Amino acid sequence: MGQPDHAVIKRRERVAFLLLTAVVFPLLTVMFVAGYGFMVWIWQMFAGPPTGH
């Protein structure tokens, strides 16, 4: 068993990069923003909406 071909390594790197940039990071961003919005929504259920004191 020899070392993997240089082209195979480059292809795997490209696939990993595209997966991260097209799927993982956007999904994490949406989950973070949705989680923050949910947290604010729950907080306002107990503390009330913001007022202009």
Side-chain angles (χ1 to χ4, degrees):
M1 293 277 168
Q3 292 290 332
D5 189 47
H6 184 68
V8 173
I9 293 172
K10 283 293 188 184
R11 184 174 181 273
R12 286 184 183 172
E13 287 178 356
R14 189 175 297 119
V15 168
F17 174 76
L18 290 174
L19 182 67
L20 283 173
T21 57
V23 177
V24 175
F25 289 144
L27 186 61
L28 287 175
T29 303
V30 168
M31 289 173 59
F32 178 76
V33 171
Y36 179 75
F38 185 73
M39 182 181 68
V40 169
W41 178 58
I42 294 295
W43 175 65
Q44 287 183 354
M45 285 176 53
F46 296 106
T51 59
H53 281 120

